[in-house]
Amino acid sequence: MNHTTSILFLIQHWRLFAMADGYTLHNTVIDTEPVEGGYLPAFTGAYGTRVVVDMAKPMPTEEAARNCLRDVLWGAHIEGRICLLRHPLEANATQEQAA
């Protein structure tokens, strides 16, 4: 399933498709969508849902598009609007797998 959202609604989509119980699911993949003139930031979250962030002007490189998304997410994390910390259940699963 694909969704396109503006940068204004990015945090709402992150909450819906990349978070559970107030924590970020760390299997969420931040990547880009190639478009005419550059790249748009994107992420693939829960249930394979892909969200592409529509911007007035695409970013010139994939790295710039990913960093743009990361900067917005980090700002929202600092403001307390989202939490980028690993979900505790995922952390426990990783520790169990490593044992």
Side-chain angles (χ1 to χ4, degrees), residues 12-70:
Q12 289 175 336
H13 281 76
W14 187 264
R15 285 186 195 128
L16 285 173
F17 301 115
M19 294 183 74
D21 303 323
Y23 294 92
T24 291
L25 299 169
H26 276 236
N27 58 351
T28 301
V29 176
I30 293 176
D31 58 9
T32 63
E33 182 73 23
V35 295
E36 186 176 331
Y39 300 88
L40 295 175
F43 70 88
T44 303
Y47 313 109
T49 302
R50 182 163 172 74
V51 177
V52 178
V53 181
D54 191 18
M55 302 174 74
K57 182 178 176 185
M59 302 304 285
T61 66
E62 290 181 87
E63 182 178 7
R66 284 192 305 272
N67 287 342
C68 174
L69 177 54
R70 288 182 180 124

Side-chain angles (χ1 to χ4, degrees), residues 73-92:
L73 294 172
W74 182 250
H77 173 78
I78 296 298
E79 294 169 355
R81 297 171 58 204
I82 62 172
C83 177
L84 294 177
L85 299 178
R86 180 182 298 272
H87 193 286
L89 294 178
E90 286 185 333
N92 289 339

